[in-house]
Amino acid sequence: MMAPRLSGIGQAALPILSFFLIFPITAQAHQSPGLPFAINTWGGPFTAATDAAYQALVANRSTSAIDAVEVGCATCERNQCDGTVGFGGSPDEQCDTSLDAMIMDGTSMKSGAVANLRRIKDAISVARHVLEHTTHSLLVGDQATQFAVENGFHEEELATPESLAKCDAWTAAQCQANYRINVSPDPTTSCGPYFPIPVPSGGDSARYSAMLAASGTGAASHDTISMVVIHTSGAMAAGTSTNGASHKIPGRVGDGPIVGSGSYVDGEVGGCGATGDGDIMMRFLPCYQAVENLRRGMTPTAAAEDVVRRMVRKYPKISSGIAVVNNKGEHGAAGSGWTFTYAVRGGAMAATEVITVPPVEVAEDLYIRPEVLEL
């Protein structure tokens, strides 16, 4: 029997389909060290969060998975991990620091999040209050701040002399790099104020979209702590905290507080934490996809690699890191655009282990090309 003839988008999709033949998803996961277990994005200063979450579970059996995630992320917020979590980091165009955070229960699948939270340091704890004291999932901006104050949190300045100096230096360098496109004056050489200019439409729009994908992602400062915890009972929780992208446009919300993007957990299957170019990553819901990959039978490593390759095929320059764990504590990760690290501690481990993950390799002929997007 002759194989069916593909035409139009079918032919264009052949390179994408052949990806799975060229790069078979067979990667093995790291074995579980036992429970309780904590995993989070990044090593270095972020290991303080891993230790804090793990030790909270070991010290008191009444500590829940949700408790441990809050403890871990709050540790990074207080420590200002790498300057990308908590107060005093990632000033926006107006020199203000705002915070994004999310926490999720893997049993009920309920989540709570805050975005563009201003003048409150304890973002992960406010997110937990959204989870436990509202029927909502996400509160934003000054209204999130008002909610926090109503729930006993205190307003205080999030900027520091260091963050203000960083903003001043950026302004003196003609606001480079920044996140503006399709504006006048030229955002690569000036600070604005900016005014929009028309973008291509109709037949030119596909090539324009491909050009944007190939051109990169602008300023590069977008680290995050994303954490997944497994209690000795098997209960799971996940959380994310970040101060976002440096020199972002005021009001910008990244992937951190978005369920399924910054993190995701289903206690019946596993969990995921992500970091990287959040504006791009949230378009793929990478952590939701990774957990669904686990549900389909993939190992944690294979689940992470599949997600990263999905993103790289359309955005070759994306910086991403995906850490995945199943409900047994088997774990793995994948990244692109940089050498990614993640931290784990579980069972009887005496110290946190940091695992280094080289960027995935994807053949260039498998990237989504302009002629594919035209169809």
Side-chain angles (χ1 to χ4, degrees):
M1 176 182 293
M2 294 181 59
R5 182 178 182 273
L6 297 177
S7 61
I9 191 64
Q11 288 181 331
L14 280 176
I16 304 169
L17 297 175
S18 65
F19 163 83
F20 295 100
L21 300 177
I22 297 173
F23 295 97
I25 305 296
T26 58
Q28 296 300 308
H30 293 267
Q31 292 185 346
S32 172
L35 305 182
F37 178 88
I39 180 174
N40 56 265
T41 52
W42 301 116
F46 292 80
T47 61
T50 327
D51 288 333
Y54 170 83
Q55 290 165 353
L57 291 169
V58 170
N60 189 339
R61 286 185 174 272
S62 66
T63 298
S64 68
I66 286 280
D67 293 334
V69 166
E70 181 182 11
V71 167
C73 290
T75 297
C76 246
E77 291 174 349
R78 289 193 300 271
N79 292 356
Q80 300 171 279
C81 282
D82 197 34
T84 61
V85 179
F87 69 99
S90 300
D92 64 19
E93 289 183 341
Q94 297 176 354
C95 299
D96 291 329
T97 293
S98 59
L99 308 180
D100 297 343
M102 189 268 285
I103 195 165
M104 184 173 187
D105 174 23
T107 301
S108 67
M109 308 297 291
K110 194 174 189 296
S111 64
V114 288
N116 198 27
L117 179 70
R118 301 159 62 85
R119 302 183 302 281
I120 303 289
K121 287 185 176 180
D122 310 298
I124 192 69
S125 297
V126 180
R128 183 172 181 177
H129 273 65
V130 175
L131 183 154
E132 294 184 336
H133 300 292
T134 80
T135 59
H136 299 316
S137 294
L138 174 64
L139 300 179
V140 301
D142 284 335
Q143 288 79 13
T145 301
Q146 180 181 347
F147 172 82
V149 171
E150 290 170 353
N151 281 268
F153 295 89
H154 300 289
E155 291 190 66
E156 51 192 318
E157 180 59 59
L158 299 186
T160 62
E162 293 77 12
S163 70
L164 294 175
K166 182 177 181 180
C167 186
D168 288 342
W170 176 75
T171 303
Q174 297 301 306
C175 303
Q176 301 306 305
N178 62 57
Y179 294 91
R180 303 282 183 166
I181 61 172
N182 303 318
V183 295
S184 179
D186 184 353
T188 66
T189 59
S190 63
C191 291
Y194 302 107
F195 301 93
I197 59 177
V199 300
S201 60
D204 292 331
S205 62
R207 282 195 178 88
Y208 175 75
S209 296
M211 178 273 291
L212 288 181
S215 65
T217 57
S221 178
H222 33 57
D223 288 350
T224 299
I225 181 168
S226 290
M227 170 175 280
V228 182
V229 162
I230 311 177
H231 191 272
T232 51
S233 67
M236 299 185 70
T240 300
S241 184
T242 181
N243 53 36
S246 288
H247 315 307
K248 61 191 173 186
I249 298 169
R252 178 260 190 186
V253 175
D255 65 326
I258 306 302
V259 175
S261 191
S263 59
Y264 191 75
V265 62
D266 181 345
E268 296 179 357
V269 184
C272 166
T275 183
D277 292 331
D279 292 288
I280 294 175
M281 294 176 70
M282 71 169 71
R283 303 167 195 172
F284 295 83
L285 290 179
C287 275
Y288 174 79
Q289 182 63 55
V291 172
E292 289 306 297
N293 284 347
L294 293 178
R295 199 185 307 275
R296 293 168 51 208
M298 287 188 184
T299 68
T301 303
E305 289 181 354
D306 171 68
V307 165
V308 170
R309 286 175 173 145
R310 287 171 184 259
M311 295 188 291
V312 169
R313 287 201 301 277
K314 289 199 174 185
Y315 293 91
K317 295 184 180 181
I318 186 174
S319 295
S320 68
I322 307 290
V324 181
V325 60
N326 64 22
N327 59 4
K328 300 175 184 176
E330 297 168 338
H331 55 92
S336 64
W338 53 22
T339 297
F340 176 52
T341 61
Y342 71 101
V344 296
R345 189 171 179 185
M349 290 175 65
T352 288
E353 178 184 3
V354 176
I355 299 171
T356 300
V357 183
V360 299
E361 296 181 3
V362 178
E364 288 188 11
D365 61 349
L366 297 180
Y367 296 148
I368 305 299
R369 300 183 299 278
E371 61 267 30
V372 173
L373 291 176
E374 278 187 305
L375 297 172

